[in-house]
Amino acid sequence: MTSSAAGADSTKMVTELVRLRQALQDVSLPLDLAGIDAARKTRTELMDQLEDYVIPRMMTIDAPLLAVVGGSTGAGKSTLVNSLVGARVTAPGLLRPTTRSPVLVHNPADAHWFGQDRLLPELARVDHATNDPNALQLVASESVPTGLAILDAPDVDSVEEQNRLLAAQLLAAADLWIFVTSAARYADQVPWEFLKAAAERSTAVAVVLDRTPADAVQTVATHLARMLAARGLKDSPLFIVHEGTVSEEGLVPASSVAEVRAWLDMLADDATARHAVVTQTLDGAVRALTFNVHPIADAAAAQSGALARLRSDAESVYDAALRAIMTATTDGTMMRGEVLARWQEFVGTGELLKSLEDKVGRIRDRMVNAVKGKPQQAERVSVAVESGLELLILEQAEAAAERAEAAWQQTEAGRGLLADAPSDLGRASRALRSKAERAVRDWQQDVVEMIRSEGGGKKATARFLAYGVNGLGVALMVVVFANTAGLTGAEVGIAGGTAVVGQKLLEAVFGDQAVRDLAARARSALEARVGALLAEERARFTGVLDVLAVDAEAGDRLRQAARRVDDVRYSAQRNPLG
């Protein structure tokens, strides 16, 4: 491949990797679903590796080879680094656990490669020893050849979680792992978990068997080599550092580390070999990234599905509450009790109902006389309607809150949200009573205004004056409650008959069609008022979901971003010579 073609591929890859990183960031995993902890951890690790290694390394492919020295507690990492450099540049931890900053040793000529914008950007750069794990100590040394940098990392099995996390982060940012173990620790589980991860993403690895007694070298080295081969690392160099005296400077004799030093010098001197190591690790990291984003995309889809279910559960119970209220306000239920009694007082049921049964054709004139002079009874009907509607709304809202909470309790995600939500979420809001009172009064005013508007040209007529705006308004409210379904026995005749009276009253003034239109408008106005109330109640649940900012399309965008990275990678591999 020509240099211009290679540069174009590199630019494309950087672009797609940046998009992949953004797609990962856009994935939100707030709901507690099965396996979510692992998905969150993986997402964080993938973003860290993109930021700490893959993108910076892709942009600076000619930067020095970064060899990160890692391993178990007490394996001798710092001693090895000091001995390779030939001077004490990093302090071995005499007390465990040791918390200190990682140390990066480089040739002075390569200092510009290790600014905060190029490697591990969240670690502050310092030029002195410190116990701050959020700092990276830079040490310039002429004994380190140009083209190579050595980083001493914390213990991978430290009892301090921050040390373990930092060690994992540093190893993920390495071009080359120099894994240090000992005859006593080489079979420990934690280091092998890291080595397994290295093998899975084709990271270049060298293993140093440190502090090994001469009589154990053959046995331990043979067993360790078999373990490496069994775990996909058979091509990884294995170096032996024999047990020996450590000087006051914290160094072992140069001869003990000569083999390791010679191999590192060779990589530093041979640009082709160095590039091969970087390319192997970088390509493996990219391949692992695109593979591992798919479980994150699955997790994102599961989040979206769970969120949709929780939202549907909340919305459905409040929709059902609205239907129940509107059914109760149109099936005759509201014509029980106080409303029915006050309406009977208003219309004078005895004679009027008898007239309805015997002489339907002459009822209108009789009703004029029955209703005259009773404004106080109209007010009592209005108050009874107000009280009945408020109670109905409060009962249904309370039941809806209980059902929504119960539905959420049935799912792991819902239980997690309820645990962090206000304790009274399963009850109607404290402000609902006053809001319901206001909404019902506003609806009653809507009805009165409908009557006033419809009767604009009839205000001088005897019938309109006889009934009054308020009287006709309560009559319209009763017509809204007119259907007798749900009533039993004598209630059917009483409520149904009195509802007919209300309708006839209105027809006497406005006519049949106008009354039907007025009733439909009044029902719609009531539904709008009640619906707005219940929407506010429902928002107490859906608001908990809204702040989670789960994007239903994030999983698909993540998969697409991973495919684009793979496309660029495959294209470069198919055309190696340009």
Side-chain angles (χ1 to χ4, degrees):
M1 179 181 294
T2 64
S3 59
S4 60
D9 279 342
S10 178
T11 300
K12 288 180 184 177
M13 179 60 83
V14 169
T15 299
E16 298 305 339
L17 288 170
V18 170
R19 289 175 176 170
L20 177 60
R21 193 264 175 210
Q22 184 62 52
L24 278 166
Q25 184 171 342
D26 290 343
V27 169
S28 179
L29 306 174
L31 298 176
D32 292 330
L33 304 178
I36 195 61
D37 288 340
R40 290 168 179 162
K41 181 174 182 288
T42 300
R43 173 180 171 272
T44 298
E45 290 173 347
L46 296 181
M47 290 179 64
D48 285 346
Q49 189 166 35
L50 280 164
E51 295 172 0
D52 295 343
Y53 176 66
V54 175
I55 294 174
R57 173 47 100 180
M58 189 65 69
M59 296 174 67
T60 56
I61 199 70
D62 295 325
L65 177 73
L66 179 63
V68 174
V69 180
S72 304
T73 301
K77 300 183 303 297
S78 297
T79 300
L80 176 65
V81 172
N82 289 334
S83 301
L84 289 171
V85 176
R88 183 166 181 154
V89 293
T90 180
L94 301 178
L95 298 176
R96 303 292 176 182
T98 300
T99 301
R100 56 176 174 76
S101 66
V103 179
L104 190 151
V105 191
H106 59 84
N107 188 280
D110 289 332
H112 64 284
W113 289 110
F114 301 110
Q116 201 153 350
D117 59 332
R118 295 180 182 269
L119 173 71
L120 302 166
E122 76 284 359
L123 295 182
R125 272 44 175 174
V126 298
D127 59 2
H128 57 276
T130 175
N131 291 330
D132 183 1
N134 296 313
L136 176 63
Q137 182 186 350
L138 298 179
V139 178
S141 174
E142 292 285 358
S143 65
V144 176
T146 57
L148 173 70
I150 303 173
L151 193 153
D152 182 19
D155 303 330
V156 297
D157 57 355
S158 172
V159 297
E160 289 286 344
E161 182 181 15
Q162 191 170 20
N163 281 350
R164 296 195 307 273
L165 294 175
L166 181 57
Q169 183 182 7
L170 295 173
L171 287 167
D175 297 313
L176 168 66
W177 290 15
I178 301 179
F179 226 86
V180 183
T181 189
S182 65
R185 307 298 302 271
Y186 75 93
D188 289 355
Q189 179 181 357
V190 173
W192 283 103
E193 291 175 356
F194 278 87
L195 290 169
K196 177 185 176 184
E200 288 174 350
R201 57 178 180 248
S202 302
T203 301
V205 176
V207 179
V208 176
L209 181 58
D210 195 20
R211 300 180 179 180
T212 309
D215 59 353
V217 167
Q218 185 63 37
T219 301
V220 174
T222 300
H223 188 209
L224 178 55
R226 285 201 299 268
M227 293 178 72
L228 289 169
R231 289 161 176 78
L233 295 168
K234 64 182 179 62
D235 295 327
S236 298
L238 174 58
F239 300 101
I240 310 296
V241 176
H242 295 276
E243 188 175 41
T245 303
V246 179
S247 70
E248 293 182 0
E249 292 296 317
L251 313 179
V252 299
S255 59
S256 297
V257 297
E259 191 178 3
V260 182
R261 175 62 193 252
W263 182 69
L264 291 174
D265 287 345
M266 179 273 295
L267 289 177
D269 292 339
D270 187 339
T272 301
R274 189 170 67 246
H275 187 267
V277 170
V278 172
T279 301
Q280 173 188 332
T281 300
L282 186 56
D283 184 69
V286 171
R287 185 182 68 250
L289 278 166
T290 58
F291 178 80
N292 288 324
V293 299
H294 292 285
I296 308 301
D298 292 341
Q303 292 275 313
S304 180
L307 189 72
R309 175 182 171 183
L310 292 169
R311 189 178 298 278
S312 176
D313 286 342
E315 291 178 345
S316 63
V317 296
Y318 282 98
D319 288 345
L322 177 60
R323 289 194 298 273
I325 291 170
M326 294 312 299
T327 297
T329 57
T330 57
D331 67 358
T333 301
M334 283 293 298
M335 290 305 298
R336 292 186 173 107
E338 186 72 11
V339 174
L340 179 59
R342 300 288 77 80
W343 175 246
Q344 288 174 335
E345 291 176 0
F346 177 60
V347 298
T349 54
E351 290 302 315
L352 284 173
L353 289 179
K354 187 175 185 299
S355 297
L356 282 170
E357 294 167 2
D358 299 338
K359 300 175 183 179
V360 174
R362 294 179 294 174
I363 189 61
R364 291 180 178 176
D365 291 336
R366 298 288 300 275
M367 282 189 287
V368 172
N369 296 326
V371 178
K372 276 184 180 179
K374 296 182 179 180
Q376 69 275 19
Q377 282 93 340
E379 179 62 23
R380 289 170 188 163
V381 177
S382 181
V383 170
V385 168
E386 179 183 337
S387 177
L389 275 176
E390 288 170 11
L391 181 60
L392 178 62
I393 292 168
L394 290 172
E395 288 176 345
Q396 288 297 329
E398 191 75 29
E402 291 176 1
R403 291 196 298 271
E405 182 184 47
W408 280 21
Q409 286 285 6
Q410 299 304 309
T411 68
E412 186 175 7
R415 288 191 295 273
L417 292 176
L418 289 172
D420 296 329
S423 59
D424 62 348
L425 190 61
R427 301 289 306 275
S429 68
R430 296 177 183 179
L432 180 61
R433 181 177 297 276
S434 61
K435 290 180 179 179
E437 291 174 359
R438 190 161 54 250
V440 172
R441 290 195 194 106
D442 288 344
W443 174 68
Q444 290 177 318
Q445 187 60 37
D446 292 341
V447 171
V448 170
E449 290 301 321
M450 290 178 196
I451 294 294
R452 182 173 289 113
S453 175
E454 187 69 23
K458 302 180 174 64
K459 290 183 179 179
T461 67
R463 287 170 180 160
F464 191 93
L465 293 172
Y467 308 147
V469 173
N470 290 337
L472 293 172
V474 296
L476 181 54
M477 294 176 204
V478 169
V479 169
V480 170
F481 308 149
N483 195 319
T484 61
L487 298 179
T488 58
E491 287 181 311
V492 174
I494 296 170
T498 53
V500 171
V501 171
Q503 185 160 337
K504 295 303 181 182
L505 282 173
L506 294 171
E507 289 176 354
V509 177
F510 302 115
D512 296 356
Q513 184 58 48
V515 172
R516 284 193 291 270
D517 292 343
L518 283 169
R521 288 164 54 197
R523 288 190 189 98
S524 295
L526 178 60
E527 185 168 7
R529 296 281 186 186
V530 176
L533 278 178
L534 293 182
E536 290 184 23
E537 292 294 295
R538 181 179 62 232
R540 297 166 63 234
F541 285 88
T542 58
V544 172
L545 306 178
D546 292 340
V547 299
L548 300 179
V550 173
D551 185 345
E553 305 299 324
D556 288 338
R557 290 200 302 272
L558 182 56
R559 294 185 197 278
Q560 293 166 8
R563 281 194 289 270
R564 288 195 298 268
V565 170
D566 280 335
D567 289 344
V568 176
R569 180 171 165 268
Y570 295 149
S571 176
Q573 290 177 344
R574 284 197 303 268
N575 302 287
L577 300 178

